Amino acid sequence: MSGFESITSRSVALPIANIDTDQIIPARYLTTTTRAGLGQHAFQDWRWLADGSPNPNFALNRAENAGAQILIAGDNFGCGSSREHAPWALLDAGIRAVISTAIADIFRNNALKNGLLAIVVSPTEHASLLEGAGEAITIDLHTQQIRRAGHAPIAFAINAFARQCLLDGVDELGYLLARTDAITRFEGART
Amino acid sequence: MTATTLFEKLWQAHLVEADAEGLPAVIYIDLHLVHEVTSPQAFSVLRERGLRVRQPKRTLATLDHSTPTTPARADGSRDYLDAATEAQVNALIRNCADFGITLHGYDSPDRGIVHVMAPELGATQPGMTIVCGDSHTSTHGAFGALAFGIGSTEVGHVLATQCLLQHKPKTMAVNVWGRLPAGVSAKDLTLHIAGQVGVSGGTGHVIEFRGDAIRALTMEERMTLCNMSIEMGARAGLIAPDGTTIEWLRGRRHVPQGDAFEAAAQRWLAFRTDESAVFDRSIDIDATAVKPTVTWGTDPGKVVAIDAALPAQDGGNTRAFDYMKLQPQAPIAGARVDVVFVGSCTNSRINDLRDAADILRGRRIAGHVRMLVVPGSERIKRDAEAEGLDRIFRAAGAEWRQPGCSMCLGMNGDIAKPGELVVSTSNRNFEGRQGKGVRTVLASPATAAASAVAGVVADPRACQQEIAA
């Protein structure tokens, strides 16, 4: 994964609580054996009407939101299944960060491993960001701040290791493989 | 020595490297379960990097998610939804052959839903760490194993290193006191608890279910409960092993046999929370107050007792009411049912099929209802047929299918039509989960069967009283 510093983009509001992974990408699109090309199915059943045309009422379909990379979503985003296809689909659809008041554990883990920032803010900060949806905001991973013109920066917490992996492009599998001796010792001690 | 929780004991026993300032722990994984949907990308990474599977003997695969539930044709071909689905199944068959992994495929008498099959074989054991690219891996926590779902990247990590990088979760005790009333099942209790904890109440925590009501549950019932820990947002669910656990495992294929089993049982029973251990959070549930319970909304925390009215409309549930086309403050009982599904890793075990069959024996399902009964494994299918349950289902007008995940997530094509209402014994009632526009009411096998007969969402206790009388 390449080094990651900051994103500046228009934000899009999706203020629905408990957006589950079946909404992010329905199970019928999990039949692939690769990671590529899932973006067209991101939010499939909300984004496309029965005749295949874009749903004009869905935020990501509005012309002014084209190219937006930051989602401000309702509470408990990404609940449900462990499908990594969810962050793969969002990234392929151009989304690089999701901000919510709570993010489900497995989704957050999967997202960070793929360079999709999953950020939790307080309800007050969330409400303020929702009010400003449509404006450009900057998410700075280095300083761990969300910046928005005319407002105080919002500090966010992120797991230190995940942050380091994103900033430095650390490969987690390589990190684990480098511990092969310790793993072998552990296995030897148990048998 | 400090008093510790069951979770803490499991965590400590699997630390290859403890967490340090800014670095996660390296946790050893005892059993890695693999299925066709979330593994192909992980095997691709192994191939790209020239890696082998570190511990093929700690890896066990099956076919379940995208497999058809109709029988194979005479020429061996199957009724796959599409070419991609078939290719995905074939990819797992090839990957298991190439990397030396045991696969319980179509030719195996042990094939089944991954979370049904592994316990049946005794591969799931107390004191283990168990992962799978599937969120319902929490099921195996019923045995006192630390079991949780992972994404495909982590599937690759475990294949290559038998380890995961983990940050230590917090602990939450769900204490369930008293005995469940007659006619109230483990699924009802599970949905009731999901309603109390909420769908994000367990986020960041491992739940341990405790109390006399939990001790009274059979292993199948404990699996139903732990299965849905993830629906409470929890990383995992746990129940400490006890005599019920030991007796259930005795003689199963993968457990030690003879004296070695007794020795293992002693080790397993040590995986329990010390009396004075402290949990980060704790809630109490009164089992005696639980009634047959179903979901009415589009997340598993929106539950209602079968004889109660739905809540009033508010800002938090308007979307769910709109999608479900249900009236606020009206009873859920009596809502017209189109499809009934008995199956899934939550409720497809032999006791679940018996519960449904007890209601259907000598009855017919309503003319407008379609009912699918999908056993969780080949073994359960054989056992059910030996007991004649399949004949009861067929005589009642239900379809008796081949094992698999089927309509729980519908990726094999077992789905309902837009707008239809499905009473389902599965675990998720998300929008579109069982087909685009399909409305799902989660329920116990008894409630599902009673609803199939009535043609509307129905209280199973009426049927059960009739049987008793």
Side-chain angles (χ1 to χ4, degrees):
Chain A
M1 198 178 300
S2 58
F4 190 113
E5 281 284 339
S6 73
I7 313 165
T8 299
S9 158
R10 180 187 177 89
S11 64
V12 178
L14 211 53
I16 299 168
N18 306 316
I19 296 177
D20 57 76
T21 50
D22 278 84
Q23 305 321 307
I24 301 170
I25 183 161
R28 60 188 184 276
Y29 302 109
L30 307 187
T31 55
T32 176
T33 54
T34 70
R35 298 170 182 233
L38 294 169
Q40 58 183 313
H41 302 304
F43 298 112
Q44 173 78 26
D45 292 345
W46 291 352
R47 202 159 137 220
W48 309 105
L49 297 173
D51 65 0
S53 63
N55 175 1
N57 295 322
F58 187 61
L60 285 172
N61 287 339
R62 290 193 203 112
E64 66 270 23
N65 288 330
Q69 298 178 338
I70 300 171
L71 270 188
I72 304 171
D75 191 52
N76 194 31
F77 185 84
C79 57
S81 111
S82 65
R83 61 189 69 164
E84 201 162 315
H85 310 66
W88 293 338
L90 292 175
L91 283 162
D92 194 47
I95 303 298
R96 297 181 65 207
V98 180
I99 303 173
S100 174
T101 42
I103 293 180
D105 288 332
I106 307 180
F107 175 85
R108 190 191 53 216
N109 204 16
N110 285 339
L112 292 173
K113 283 184 168 41
N114 287 276
L116 175 74
L117 280 185
I119 296 173
V120 173
V121 296
S122 73
T124 316
E125 292 160 343
H126 190 257
S128 161
L129 287 169
L130 273 179
E131 268 173 36
E135 295 173 16
I137 60 174
T138 295
I139 301 175
D140 187 333
L141 183 58
H142 199 74
T143 61
Q144 294 182 227
Q145 283 182 337
I146 302 168
R147 289 194 294 271
R148 181 176 152 216
H151 292 262
I154 296 170
F156 63 85
I158 182 168
N159 169 284
F161 183 70
R163 175 174 172 272
Q164 211 57 43
C165 287
L166 290 166
L167 287 173
D168 299 347
V170 173
D171 160 39
E172 290 194 17
L173 179 52
Y175 181 94
L176 274 170
L177 287 166
R179 275 144 186 83
T180 297
D181 288 350
I183 298 168
T184 304
R185 276 197 303 276
F186 181 87
E187 288 173 334
R190 297 177 90 209
T191 48
Chain B
M1 217 173 90
T2 325
T4 55
T5 61
L6 166 58
F7 163 74
E8 185 69 33
K9 290 187 171 79
L10 289 164
W11 179 264
Q12 289 296 336
H14 293 88
L15 274 181
V16 173
E17 200 173 279
D19 55 320
E21 188 69 25
L23 293 176
V26 178
I27 293 288
Y28 195 77
I29 302 303
D30 292 316
L31 176 65
H32 185 195
L33 302 169
V34 174
H35 64 84
E36 71 275 21
V37 178
T38 55
S39 64
Q41 296 85 353
F43 284 109
S44 296
V45 169
L46 261 59
R47 284 201 174 85
E48 283 158 20
R49 298 174 68 145
L51 297 167
R52 61 184 182 91
V53 173
R54 182 176 175 89
Q55 292 285 1
K57 288 192 159 41
R58 292 190 177 277
T59 315
L60 194 59
T62 192
L63 302 170
D64 57 2
H65 279 64
S66 48
T67 53
T69 54
T70 46
R73 286 183 281 264
D75 65 355
S77 66
R78 287 173 197 273
D79 198 13
Y80 284 102
L81 177 64
D82 55 24
T85 312
E86 184 166 12
Q88 195 174 54
V89 166
N90 289 332
L92 183 60
I93 294 170
R94 192 175 56 250
N95 284 330
C96 287
D98 289 356
F99 288 92
I101 295 168
T102 300
L103 168 67
H104 290 294
Y106 291 122
D107 55 351
S108 167
D110 302 314
R111 189 182 71 84
I113 303 175
V114 62
H115 310 308
V116 175
M117 168 212 69
E120 272 179 350
L121 291 172
T124 297
Q125 295 169 16
M128 279 185 164
T129 44
I130 302 176
V131 297
C132 174
D134 189 285
S135 60
H136 291 110
T137 308
S138 59
T139 310
H140 307 266
F143 292 81
L146 179 60
F148 52 92
I150 56 176
S152 299
T153 297
E154 292 192 318
V155 170
H157 292 178
V158 180
L159 288 174
T161 70
Q162 206 58 35
C163 287
L164 279 177
L165 296 170
Q166 288 288 300
H167 296 278
K168 197 173 181 177
K170 294 185 172 131
T171 55
M172 177 173 173
V174 174
N175 305 304
V176 190
W177 308 115
R179 292 296 289 262
L180 288 173
V184 175
S185 74
K187 181 62 165 292
D188 299 309
L189 172 65
T190 303
L191 293 172
H192 178 83
I193 296 174
Q196 298 287 308
V197 174
V199 288
S200 62
T203 303
H205 292 73
V206 168
I207 293 176
E208 183 180 339
F209 297 101
R210 298 156 57 79
D212 52 344
I214 301 299
R215 298 263 71 89
L217 297 177
T218 66
M219 287 316 298
E220 286 82 2
E221 292 170 330
R222 293 178 190 187
M223 284 190 261
T224 297
L225 174 58
C226 287
N227 173 273
M228 289 188 68
S229 313
I230 181 70
E231 296 348 306
M232 306 165 201
R235 197 77 184 92
L238 286 172
I239 294 174
D242 60 10
T244 302
T245 321
I246 303 301
E247 290 318 309
W248 198 89
L249 286 169
R250 187 186 297 278
R252 291 186 189 263
R253 193 184 308 163
H254 286 258
V255 301
Q257 306 295 325
D259 289 347
F261 181 81
E262 305 310 326
Q266 287 313 305
R267 285 197 306 277
W268 292 340
L269 290 170
F271 283 96
R272 56 195 298 278
T273 293
D274 298 327
E275 223 160 85
S276 53
V278 178
F279 290 83
D280 294 306
R281 282 178 64 199
S282 195
I283 70 160
D284 290 282
I285 302 279
D286 176 7
T288 65
V290 181
K291 294 178 172 179
T293 299
V294 298
T295 63
W296 65 266
T298 52
D299 69 65
K302 290 192 170 62
V303 302
V304 64
I306 194 84
D307 57 1
L310 300 185
Q313 193 162 332
D314 62 35
N317 64 25
T318 299
R319 193 181 167 89
F321 273 118
D322 287 350
Y323 183 87
M324 291 300 292
K325 300 185 177 73
L326 293 170
Q327 289 305 311
Q329 296 174 289
I332 184 86
R336 185 183 160 96
V337 173
D338 302 293
V339 178
V340 169
F341 171 60
V342 174
S344 86
C345 56
T346 316
N347 282 124
S348 64
R349 297 179 181 85
I350 192 73
N351 59 307
D352 300 315
L353 303 185
R354 286 177 191 143
D355 282 355
D358 282 345
I359 298 238
L360 292 177
R361 191 175 284 110
R363 292 194 173 95
R364 289 281 303 174
I365 65 172
H368 67 274
V369 170
R370 177 182 172 222
M371 181 172 183
L372 259 67
V373 184
V374 184
S377 69
E378 297 287 354
R379 180 181 306 238
I380 290 167
K381 181 166 180 283
R382 284 192 301 276
D383 290 351
E385 290 174 354
E387 289 181 24
L389 302 185
D390 58 319
R391 291 193 296 278
I392 295 172
F393 294 129
R394 286 198 172 105
E399 297 174 45
W400 175 244
R401 294 292 190 96
Q402 305 293 310
C405 301
S406 182
M407 202 178 233
C408 174
L409 82 169
M411 69 173 291
N412 71 339
D414 291 348
I415 54 172
K417 297 189 188 79
E420 284 189 331
L421 190 122
V422 184
V423 176
S424 178
T425 66
S426 55
N427 40 56
R428 290 193 174 131
N429 52 348
F430 299 154
E431 289 181 30
R433 173 87 175 175
Q434 299 186 300
K436 187 171 178 175
V438 172
R439 302 173 294 147
T440 301
V441 170
L442 300 178
S444 71
T447 300
S451 301
V453 171
V456 295
V457 175
D459 189 334
R461 290 174 299 188
C463 290
Q464 287 160 342
Q465 277 156 11
E466 222 175 284
I467 294 164

